[in-house]
Amino acid sequence: MIEYFKHEPWSIVEEGFNPAMNEVAESACSIGNGFMGQRGNFEETYSGKSLQGSYIGGVYYPDKTRVGWWKNGYPEYFAKVLNSTNWIGLSIEVEGEELDLNTWTVQQFRRELDMKRGLLKRIFTATSPKGKRIEVQSTRFYSLKHPDFAALEYVVKPLNFNGTIRVHMYNEGAVRNKDSNYEELFWEPVPDGAHVFAEHSLLSMRTRKLGWVLSTATRNRCSLNNIPLNGTGQCSETRTAHEFSAGVSSGDSLRLEKFSVLCSNFRYPEANTAQMAEALLQERCAVSFETHAQEQEQAWAAIWERSDVLIEGDVPAQQAVRFNIFHLNQTYTGADARLNIGPKGFTGEKYGGSTYWDTEAYCIPFFLLTAPASISRQLLEYRYRQLPKAIENAAKLGFDNGAALFPMVTMNGEECHNEWEITFEEIHRNGAMAWAIHTYMEHTGDRSYLEEGGLEVLIGIARFWAQRVHWSEMKQQYVMHGVTGPNEYENNVNNNWYTNYLAVWCLNFTMRCLGELSASNPAARTEIIRKTSLDIATELPHWKEVASSMFLPEDAKRGIFVQHEGFLDKELMPVSALDPKHLPLNQKWSWDRILRSCFIKQADVLQGLYFFEDHFSTDQLERNFSFYEPMTVHESSLSPCIHSIQASRLGMKGKAYELYLRTARLDLDNYNNDTEDGLHITSMAGSYLSIVQGFAGVRIRQGILHLNPVLPQKWNSCAFSLRVSGNLVKVFFDQGQIRIQNLGTQPVKFCVKQEEPEVLAPARDRWLKVD
């Protein structure tokens, strides 16, 4: 853990330049708008260590799977989000010396992600090897209002000399991915796709395999003391540029401005990407940089109004939760139903940037509480549209009759994860799809999704579970062998408790939904049965038999559910018994040693207790938490939040706060020594949930808002907004009282500390004392 960034409530600030931390800062200061985004790279040349990255939503490359031993059922490719055209490129030459903070002496430096306004800003002074000193101020953003538009302002001031500054403002299409398996170039120029005009340029590039096209239209402007300068154009098939030269005096202001529109054939017809880019650029250029920046601030103000969390008395905690909320909202806006939430979002290449089960388990609960229900519904529909591919995925592994296995990693519904223990065995992901449907209905009261796709998804999932189990003559129960649970430090195990319990729940939930639809809309039920060829007479009895006879390992003596068969045969010890030099295990130990150990990567049994908390007694929750948490190394970003929420539920305030900070400041303080690769976007939902579901004790069940506040000792108070059945509700609580405000148009049912539910009328509030 490294506390590198200054603690400020609305900003992520790097004060002073440390080249060793540059890639970490690039990740933290990434910006985007739900359609595209970019790491916090320098605009000017930098020869030091840097991970250059500009990413376009939906555009990917099917990189050939690289494995030593091919196995039947392996995906043929790994989908990678591509580093795309670098539109911010600047080369600044001061009296013949190119500005490069790796070779110049940096006197002052501040890089700031302004989360309140959605701006990335930088100011620094630097001296060249020959003693020329300049000040630079830059501001850039990806527009929330205009999803294809991004803008940059860059001001250079000479401080101790008179002379010449030459500026090269360019777009570079010949970019690489750091994680290419075979050092492939993923992009090639579109024939006759590069053009430079008096003030703007157009560059079109195409991916080598799938033919994704990206057209970037950019207006480059340069002025000296507000007087426009004329530039000269330069063009190659992969690069467009404008070059300016200015005679400057000490104290002058040389202002550079780049307006860029990036249009891909993911959003527009391929034949029109170039024309669209130029047309949209012309529209964006009708408004000043300052006006666009004001519109950006207004757009972010609307997001913060519905999703902010206010913490009094703890700036590091305040900064951290806003950091996570900011990145979630700039990664996914819900404006395009074909997009989803990649684990790295627009901040890096690792994990391929594709869709994982994280969306259903973590992000949908976040958006259900902070955004209109349509956004979460859209994420559910994303999976429904990919149901045919999920059925194909299952068929490749030998399943039939419409059984569906949703992918561990995907861009288009096809499985594209290339590790066998994940692709074949981490099948619990299927259950998260069903749990998200259940959670959506509990929060919104909207049952229509069942007849509009949801029940078809559930039937496919139920069929998979019914075929994946087998009958054990020895146990006289159904069992499930050869799986990997959420704890990926165990592979190919038998009877993972979480997976088995989830399968049972999925079967029962699907049957319950079939019954519910029989009563509410029998015609829709009949049509779904016809469409899925569901054999009610034979399939449902088998589902009931499996659900009622599933083996669920437990240890009666300890009063715990056993993670999987054989787990208790391990040498059991807490993480605290390890010398800290061994952590993180995934960077210090061999895989063999990890697999033989008892140490847990992330919540496994406890993931199930989080999902189905109301199925278990407080004693059961406490026994399992006390047994498993001490052995958990939390080396998955998804782990600390689950434990924090459960610690709050069990009244363990100190442990809950400790794990909240770990989940909320995971990337900011580089807990897992991997922030340089990009941020853990999907797990960021956990920091919000650790507060709202954890410290505030929020649960929404059958449309009733339940609260059980447990304020951390360090905090004076906490306040947030959330949605309950479409109503906006504001919650404030401190060490002695809680206030609930109904800002919606319909009455809201709520209860505090498990008291009898009350009804809160619209535009009313209620103060209650809490212990």
Side-chain angles (χ1 to χ4, degrees), residues 55 103 181 232 244 297 333 338 422 554 560 630 640 688 762:
Y55 309 104
T103 59
N181 280 340
T232 58
F244 301 86
E297 182 176 354
T333 63
R338 298 168 298 168
I422 306 300
E554 60 180 298
I560 63 165
Y688 176 90

Side-chain angles (χ1 to χ4, degrees), residues 41-45 88-91 122 138 140 152 154 170:
N41 305 130
F42 296 163
E43 296 87 1
E44 74 279 356
T45 300
I88 63 171
L90 298 176
S91 175
R122 194 161 52 108
S138 69
R140 75 176 189 260
L152 162 66
Y154 193 97
Y170 64 88

Side-chain angles (χ1 to χ4, degrees), residues 648-661:
S648 290
R649 165 69 173 77
L650 297 170
M652 303 176 183
K653 294 173 69 171
K655 175 60 73 172
Y657 180 73
E658 169 199 329
L659 291 167
Y660 163 74
L661 283 183

Side-chain angles (χ1 to χ4, degrees), residues 240-515:
T240 58
H242 286 92
E243 192 166 279
F244 301 86
S245 181
V248 299
S249 301
S250 180
D252 282 348
S253 179
L254 185 66
R255 181 180 181 274
L256 317 178
E257 182 184 89
K258 298 191 80 168
F259 279 12
S260 286
V261 170
L262 298 91
C263 293
S264 75
N265 58 345
F266 180 80
R267 280 174 51 77
Y268 303 102
E270 180 176 341
N272 295 337
T273 58
Q275 296 96 314
M276 283 300 303
E278 289 200 284
L280 291 174
L281 178 65
Q282 186 175 2
E283 291 180 15
R284 302 293 86 82
C285 289
V287 176
S288 69
F289 181 92
E290 291 74 18
T291 299
H292 281 302
Q294 289 169 3
E295 291 174 346
Q296 181 78 345
E297 182 176 354
Q298 291 165 3
W300 272 106
I303 291 173
W304 288 118
E305 176 63 25
R306 61 174 168 79
S307 62
D308 189 26
V309 174
L310 177 63
I311 298 169
E312 295 289 352
D314 191 344
V315 173
Q318 176 69 87
Q319 178 189 48
V321 70
R322 282 180 174 151
F323 175 73
N324 290 283
I325 293 169
F326 175 83
H327 278 289
L328 280 162
N329 279 293
Q330 71 170 3
T331 300
Y332 188 75
T333 63
D336 191 320
R338 298 168 298 168
L339 296 175
N340 207 284
I341 308 158
K344 293 294 179 189
F346 300 117
T347 73
E349 302 169 5
K350 194 174 180 182
Y351 300 129
S354 311
T355 307
Y356 285 59
W357 67 283
D358 310 15
T359 291
E360 283 72 25
Y362 296 83
C363 297
I364 283 180
F366 167 79
F367 284 112
L368 279 170
L369 291 166
T370 64
S374 59
I375 290 181
S376 296
R377 168 112 181 207
Q378 189 164 272
L379 288 168
L380 296 179
E381 291 171 352
Y382 173 94
R383 294 294 190 178
Y384 173 65
R385 283 190 296 275
Q386 295 183 353
L387 178 59
K389 289 290 186 182
I391 293 172
E392 286 182 23
N393 293 335
K396 289 177 182 177
L397 300 185
F399 299 90
D400 57 20
N401 191 36
L405 177 60
F406 284 90
M408 188 68 182
V409 181
T410 194
M411 276 290 193
N412 61 6
E414 290 180 298
E415 178 62 74
C416 61
H417 196 290
N418 57 8
E419 296 174 8
W420 67 269
E421 67 274 16
I422 306 300
T423 303
F424 299 154
E425 297 195 339
E426 202 163 337
I427 54 177
H428 67 82
R429 62 196 188 246
N430 242 20
M433 311 300 145
W435 183 81
I437 295 171
H438 169 264
T439 303
Y440 171 81
M441 294 193 301
E442 285 283 281
H443 276 70
T444 65
D446 177 15
R447 323 297 283 187
S448 66
Y449 179 60
L450 283 179
E451 59 197 66
E452 296 170 6
L455 188 52
E456 292 175 53
V457 170
L458 293 175
I459 290 169
I461 291 171
R463 283 169 161 168
F464 173 83
W465 291 126
Q467 294 180 44
R468 185 60 172 78
V469 301
H470 68 272
W471 179 256
S472 167
E473 288 294 337
M474 179 179 291
K475 289 184 171 63
Q476 288 293 295
Q477 288 180 285
Y478 284 97
V479 296
M480 205 179 318
H481 285 187
V483 305
T484 297
N487 172 23
E488 293 169 340
Y489 288 176
E490 301 277 3
N491 300 151
N492 199 35
V493 302
N494 295 337
N495 293 310
N496 172 259
W497 181 88
Y498 170 72
T499 305
N500 286 17
Y501 194 89
L502 197 54
V504 169
W505 177 84
C506 286
L507 291 166
N508 286 327
F509 179 57
T510 303
M511 290 186 287
R512 188 164 74 247
C513 289
L514 277 163

Side-chain angles (χ1 to χ4, degrees), residues 162-212:
N162 302 332
T164 301
I165 296 180
R166 286 189 168 83
V167 176
H168 191 70
M169 305 175 70
Y170 64 88
N171 291 344
E172 178 60 67
V175 295
R176 292 179 178 269
N177 263 50
K178 182 180 179 180
D179 67 352
S180 169
N181 280 340
Y182 297 92
E183 301 300 321
E184 290 182 273
L185 278 174
F186 296 150
W187 294 93
E188 61 186 7
V190 171
D192 195 32
H195 303 276
V196 175
F197 306 96
E199 266 199 337
H200 80 279
S201 66
L202 177 67
L203 178 63
S204 295
M205 302 292 295
R206 177 185 287 114
T207 62
R208 291 184 182 274
K209 286 187 179 178
L210 297 182
W212 294 112

